[in-house]
Amino acid sequence: MNSQENLKTKVAIIGGGPAGLFLSQLLHLHDIESVILERRSREYVLGRIRAGVLEQGTVDLMRRAGIGERIEHEGMIHEGVGIAFENALHHIDLMSLTGGKVVTVYGQTEITQDLYQARDSMDGMIFHEVNEVTLHQLDSAMPYVTFFKDEQSYRIDCDFVAGCDGFHGVSRKSIPQDELTEYHMSYPFGWLGILAETPPVSDEVVYASHERGFSLCSMRNSMLSRYYIQVSLEDQLKDWSDERFWGEFKTRLPAQVSDNLITGSSVEKSIAPLRAFVADNLNYGRLFLAGDAGHIVPPTGAKGLNLAASDVHYLSGALIDYYQSGQEQGLYGYSERALDRIWKSVRFSMWCTLMLHTFSEHTPFERRIQKADLQYLIDSPSAQKMFAENYIGLPY
Ligand code: APR
Ligand code: PHB
């Protein structure tokens, strides 16, 4: 085996998903060098189908990161969302309820692609398909990271480590147990999601509650639909032919929506369990966690990717302050600042999840309360305002 190769950078970024890529790009634009270490190939990362509803803060971050051009043309502005239950569709007018704010539908895969392109054009250093990433001396002023790529061993000396490596990554696990509290909540169901090359059933994203289970209508563009249904945790992909999916999906939508449904073969299909998780805190010594490495929300409020963006906003700002003026307060206040917004988004995501899904263990009393919650949202301008304020994204 070759001897170890030694590198030096300011910020070693673990994980090349949106959190890591955004951070690297924003630091670069302020002349702060970073290196990204990603366990998977670029093709694999770009093949993952993830979320798609962006808050204005996320779109603004894209602009600041120099990747605002394509979304300008291809992003779909949504001024409202639909909430369906008991065979009726209701409209929540985000724009009028928030004084002119909207959300943009643009897939996470597209953002990741834009970020990779931007990093390439600036000669950003990204190591793909790395193994055994290990973080060292995080509680010192001289942390370093070791890893292997193609059987070559590497060491990167750095000032800081950014843990952007998702829920299963190594960064959070490198924090001593007594320095970290983890809050977990799992839901007794998952979402089966499909992507189909068909025109979307509705111009708006529709969240539908039904006694057979929740369903969601979303889209990626005018010829690509993204749909989900609530399924049991025991269900496997092989149980869900396209035909069964379409039949079930149609049953759970009000006729006003399902009458427009155009079905076709799926081009992607996956099942994900729903859970919430928060790590407190997001900082240990010279390590900072951002994105899914620090928290997961159930997808019902469309907050996962948007929270990764707000984390990166806070963390990049703190690192830029540190390098420009030696100020450390921002860095050591990062966790508290980010967690305030994270917990509020966890609350919103949990409320949406509880209101819209079918829980087999619910008593008749709980079912009536759930129905009252939905009816209150539809009837009360104040309740709609709270929904809209959260859905378009709480301020940074
Ligand atoms: N070493 C290097 N890279 C790793 C390691 C490791 N030990 N473990 C995981 N990774 C990589 C994963 O392969 C993945 O590409 O870290 C990356 C984390 O990316 P994401 O899971 O996309 O998480 P994040 O960047 O925080 O994005 C936020 O928002 O919509 C939600 O969950 C959705 O991915 C989304 C997230
Ligand atoms: C999606 O388009 O994938 C999507 C939309 C809204 C959600 C979750 C996912 O709440």
Side-chain angles (χ1 to χ4, degrees):
M1 188 185 294
N2 301 330
S3 61
Q4 189 175 58
E5 196 165 316
N6 294 318
L7 306 169
K8 208 168 164 12
T9 192
K10 288 199 163 74
V11 185
I13 299 176
I14 319 301
L21 289 162
F22 257 130
L23 183 63
S24 173
Q25 180 68 4
L26 289 163
L27 294 179
H28 181 108
L29 295 174
H30 289 82
D31 294 325
I32 303 165
E33 211 184 56
S34 66
V35 175
I36 295 179
L37 306 180
E38 167 56 52
R39 188 168 55 128
R40 303 287 195 167
S41 68
R42 179 181 295 212
E43 294 66 40
Y44 182 94
V45 174
L46 287 172
R48 290 190 297 224
I49 309 296
R50 296 269 180 91
V53 175
L54 309 185
E55 298 169 356
Q56 189 56 47
T58 306
V59 178
D60 292 344
L61 194 77
M62 290 176 70
R63 292 207 185 102
R64 274 167 40 215
I67 57 156
E69 201 171 312
R70 191 156 69 102
I71 192 173
E72 189 81 37
H73 304 110
E74 296 178 22
M76 290 175 287
I77 304 287
H78 282 217
E79 296 180 2
V81 294
I83 302 281
F85 72 105
E86 295 190 335
N87 209 19
L89 175 65
H90 307 270
H91 171 74
I92 298 200
D93 199 305
L94 298 172
M95 179 111 156
S96 66
L97 289 159
T98 59
K101 306 239 171 67
V102 294
V103 291
T104 304
V105 174
Y106 188 73
Q108 176 172 324
T109 314
E110 307 307 317
I111 299 185
T112 312
Q113 197 174 342
D114 295 342
L115 282 166
Y116 272 132
Q117 218 162 47
R119 294 286 52 227
D120 285 349
S121 71
M122 295 173 183
D123 295 327
M125 201 184 237
I126 307 181
F127 286 88
H128 278 278
E129 297 180 270
V130 299
N131 296 305
E132 293 177 47
V133 172
T134 313
L135 317 187
H136 306 267
Q137 292 183 16
L138 295 169
D139 55 352
S140 81
M142 287 181 290
Y144 65 96
V145 180
T146 54
F147 66 97
F148 286 86
K149 178 171 166 66
D150 299 334
E151 296 186 19
Q152 166 71 48
S153 91
Y154 291 84
R155 167 177 169 145
I156 306 185
D157 287 278
C158 54
D159 298 335
F160 299 100
V161 180
C164 302
D165 48 353
F167 181 71
H168 298 288
V170 65
S171 300
R172 193 181 64 256
K173 293 179 191 136
S174 307
I175 301 178
Q177 269 186 6
D178 55 354
E179 297 280 347
L180 184 73
T181 306
E182 293 195 1
Y183 298 88
H184 289 270
M185 154 114 196
S186 46
Y187 294 88
F189 41 73
W191 277 15
L192 164 63
I194 73 156
L195 199 60
E197 285 170 335
T198 55
V201 67
S202 151
D203 298 343
E204 290 188 343
V205 172
V206 176
Y207 293 85
S209 161
H210 188 276
E211 62 201 18
R212 293 181 61 85
F214 168 78
S215 62
L216 168 60
C217 314
S218 185
M219 66 205 71
R220 290 295 174 269
N221 59 49
S222 61
M223 265 313 291
L224 197 55
S225 300
R226 180 71 170 152
Y227 299 134
Y228 301 89
I229 55 171
Q230 173 187 352
V231 293
S232 137
L233 282 177
E234 282 80 55
D235 281 14
Q236 296 180 11
L237 282 179
K238 65 174 172 47
D239 304 326
W240 284 95
S241 63
D242 286 356
E243 204 183 352
R244 181 173 173 210
F245 176 89
W246 291 121
E248 186 62 35
F249 184 59
K250 207 167 167 148
T251 311
R252 295 184 189 186
L253 296 173
Q256 183 185 350
V257 179
S258 65
D259 283 351
N260 302 325
L261 182 67
I262 298 176
T263 62
S265 17
S266 64
V267 290
E268 197 262 356
K269 204 185 273 168
S270 55
I271 295 184
L274 264 67
R275 66 167 153 234
F277 149 78
V278 182
D280 190 347
N281 70 59
L282 302 172
N283 170 221
Y284 170 69
R286 291 269 173 147
L287 168 69
F288 297 91
L289 304 178
D292 278 17
H295 43 81
I296 303 267
V297 287
T300 326
K303 291 291 160 229
L305 172 61
N306 292 302
L307 276 181
S310 57
D311 287 357
V312 168
H313 163 83
Y314 296 132
L315 183 56
S316 61
L319 286 165
I320 293 163
D321 276 354
Y322 173 82
Y323 283 107
Q324 287 182 345
S325 58
Q327 300 269 3
E328 288 194 351
Q329 297 101 298
L331 278 174
Y332 295 108
Y334 161 70
S335 180
E336 201 179 328
R337 232 178 135 195
L339 281 170
D340 177 69
R341 192 171 190 278
I342 290 162
W343 275 112
K344 287 174 185 155
S345 299
V346 172
R347 181 208 75 84
F348 176 67
S349 310
M350 182 161 166
W351 172 68
C352 292
T353 305
L354 293 177
M355 180 173 63
L356 288 159
H357 288 74
T358 300
F359 291 76
S360 56
E361 70 274 25
H362 266 179
T363 60
F365 182 90
E366 286 167 316
R367 280 195 200 108
R368 293 305 297 258
I369 290 293
Q370 195 182 30
K371 185 180 157 196
D373 216 359
L374 274 165
Q375 197 64 54
Y376 178 57
L377 175 63
I378 299 316
D379 293 342
S380 158
S382 308
Q384 288 192 17
K385 215 167 168 153
M386 184 281 284
F387 178 92
E389 180 186 30
N390 281 273
Y391 198 78
I392 60 101
L394 294 175
Y396 284 8

